[in-house]
Amino acid sequence: MRPGDVLELLRDGRPWTRAQLAEATGLSRSTVRARIEVLQQLGLVTPYGDGVSTGGRRPALLALNPAGWVVAGVDVGATHVHAVLGDLAGQVLQEARVDMEVAEGPEAVLGWVTDAVTSMLERQRRGLAELAAVGLGLPGPVEHSTGRPNNPPIMPGWDRYDVPGALQRTLPVPVLVDNDVNIMALGEQQVHLPHVSDLVFIKVATGIGAGIISGGALQRGDRGTAGDLGHVRVSRGTGVMCRCGNEGCLEAVAAGPALADRLREAGVPARTSQDVVDLVRGGDRTAVQVVREGGRDIGEVVASLVNIVNPAVVVIGGRLAEAGEHLLAGIREVVYRRSLPLATQHLRVMPSGAGAEVGVRGALAMATGHALSPSAIEQASQRLGGGVAAGA
């Protein structure tokens, strides 16, 4: 068992004695001592006072040191970039945000990201050696194993671009890249639903997609397209062309631009998803009806997803979720009517509790998960010269 495997136990947030670690791992106390020594040299474990005595000297307690390293999380949206620097417990230490079109291209966007992360490190008086990983979300399909966007529809110039390589020229650490709705699912779980191991996060904005966490693990699929709900055919989409070239896609009838088009056809001025949200919040009856009907369309696809994946929670996020209960009511109406009774017996369909921070918090969680993985700790310990202790 490696130092990273011992650290996995310490990540539960409570202090442990060396004897408890030995009992939990089955290792001898001398081996546990060697593992802890490596982790302390890495700055990842710190004393936490004394435990309860069982007759002799009180045993020393040990805990994860959240300040030992820092990680960066970045949420790249269609029109914004949001970056944060956080500790190993997920606490945000510094943040930066800019309005920027992803269509400006990878050089401009990633140039801003490297400058922002470098600046946040300087403000926290942390060196590059203390940065353990960077997590980044993009608004399009991503090949997670390489971090390269895969034919993203709203990201000209990004297809197959080496995102990790570009960032690593300035930030020489592991860079993990995923699509935005996957990191939203991670962020929602991290911030609001830490004890839920089966959940679906659905982003409803310019497009519609789902991040699926099943059995505690994010499901990306073979090519990273798992959860692409926006291009599932729906009954009301007959004759409606989608930007993907197919007819009848959910996105073509229920995403923000489609709802804005319907409002304009009805004589209500609306151009963007935010216009739709503002009209609903202002009590416009036509907007309320259009959004609720869009919710029913989404519910048609979500009902099938619930039958297949059987989540405990379906979370609705994205710009159109800001329209509130009208969208959710339409979704719930169809999901509870068309999904199997057993699948909906305890199902919750709810708005995002993490709000606008959900994407960047998910990127931070992705970076932290990698930085504290047993394999990453093993590599760090070998760089320290701790490889001998790790194999003891």
Side-chain angles (χ1 to χ4, degrees):
M1 182 172 284
R2 302 167 294 179
D5 296 308
V6 174
L7 187 65
E8 281 289 298
L9 296 175
L10 293 168
R11 288 184 65 186
D12 68 358
R14 65 185 179 93
W16 291 66
T17 66
R18 288 177 175 82
Q20 288 171 332
L21 290 170
E23 182 178 356
T25 60
L27 299 174
S28 68
R29 293 196 183 192
S30 62
T31 302
V32 167
R33 192 180 307 114
R35 303 292 190 270
I36 292 298
E37 183 179 342
V38 171
L39 294 171
Q40 287 179 320
Q41 290 175 19
L42 290 170
L44 295 175
V45 170
T46 186
Y48 195 86
D50 295 327
V52 177
S53 172
T54 57
R57 187 175 62 182
R58 290 195 296 173
L61 291 171
L62 300 163
L64 172 70
N65 177 20
W69 293 344
V70 291
V71 294
V74 184
D75 174 27
V76 178
T79 59
H80 76 273
V81 188
H82 186 189
V84 300
L85 194 70
D87 67 15
L88 298 177
Q91 180 180 349
V92 174
L93 305 173
Q94 203 84 44
E95 64 182 312
R97 187 183 179 104
V98 67
D99 291 330
M100 177 181 285
E101 299 279 341
V102 72
E104 290 187 31
E107 289 83 3
V109 172
L110 299 179
W112 182 90
V113 170
T114 55
D115 289 346
V117 174
T118 301
S119 178
M120 289 189 291
L121 284 168
E122 291 173 353
R123 291 199 297 272
Q124 285 294 309
R125 298 182 179 179
R126 308 294 289 254
L128 271 176
E130 297 172 272
L131 180 67
V134 176
L136 183 142
L138 292 173
V142 173
E143 187 178 69
H144 182 68
S145 61
T146 65
R148 294 174 183 262
N150 191 358
N151 196 26
I154 64 168
M155 300 170 62
W158 287 81
D159 187 33
R160 305 305 302 169
Y161 189 85
D162 185 7
V163 175
L167 292 178
Q168 286 167 337
R169 286 196 288 269
T170 304
L171 307 171
V173 298
V175 176
L176 296 92
V177 186
D178 211 330
N179 72 60
D180 55 356
V181 73
N182 280 349
I183 66 167
M184 288 177 174
L186 289 175
E188 190 70 29
Q189 184 186 49
Q190 178 83 8
V191 176
H192 195 59
L193 299 166
H195 304 298
V196 175
S197 58
D198 293 273
L199 70 91
V200 172
F201 186 100
I202 297 175
K203 178 188 177 185
V204 188
T206 304
I208 301 174
I212 302 169
I213 295 177
S214 182
L218 189 60
Q219 305 300 315
R220 297 183 174 91
D222 178 55
R223 302 291 291 173
T225 64
D228 193 358
L229 303 188
H231 300 289
V232 175
R233 186 181 179 89
V234 292
S235 56
R236 207 169 57 85
T238 301
V240 181
M241 294 303 299
C242 179
R243 60 178 175 171
C244 74
N246 288 326
E247 175 191 324
C249 294
L250 174 64
E251 179 182 299
V253 297
L259 299 188
D261 288 346
R262 288 187 60 198
L263 286 172
R264 287 198 305 276
E265 291 168 3
V268 180
R271 186 176 58 86
T272 66
S273 298
Q274 189 59 54
D275 292 338
V276 176
V277 170
D278 291 341
L279 286 163
V280 171
R281 286 178 168 177
D284 185 279
R285 289 186 178 181
T286 304
V288 168
Q289 292 171 354
V290 165
V291 166
R292 184 147 185 165
E293 186 63 36
R296 294 189 186 101
D297 294 325
I298 296 168
E300 182 179 331
V301 176
V302 175
S304 297
L305 183 64
V306 166
N307 285 339
I308 295 168
V309 179
N310 188 205
V313 183
V314 173
V315 180
I316 309 299
R319 181 60 56 85
L320 277 177
E322 297 172 11
E325 285 298 316
H326 298 292
L327 181 70
L328 266 70
I331 295 172
R332 290 181 182 126
E333 177 184 333
V334 178
V335 168
Y336 287 111
R337 185 177 75 240
R338 297 188 57 170
S339 297
L340 293 171
L342 187 59
T344 59
Q345 185 176 7
H346 302 293
L347 176 69
R348 289 181 287 163
V349 180
M350 57 191 286
S352 171
E357 302 292 308
V358 66
V360 78
R361 293 299 294 270
L364 200 63
M366 183 167 61
T368 303
H370 175 81
L372 295 181
S373 67
S375 60
I377 299 302
E378 177 72 5
Q379 292 174 5
S381 68
Q382 289 176 350
R383 290 194 298 270
L384 246 191
V388 174

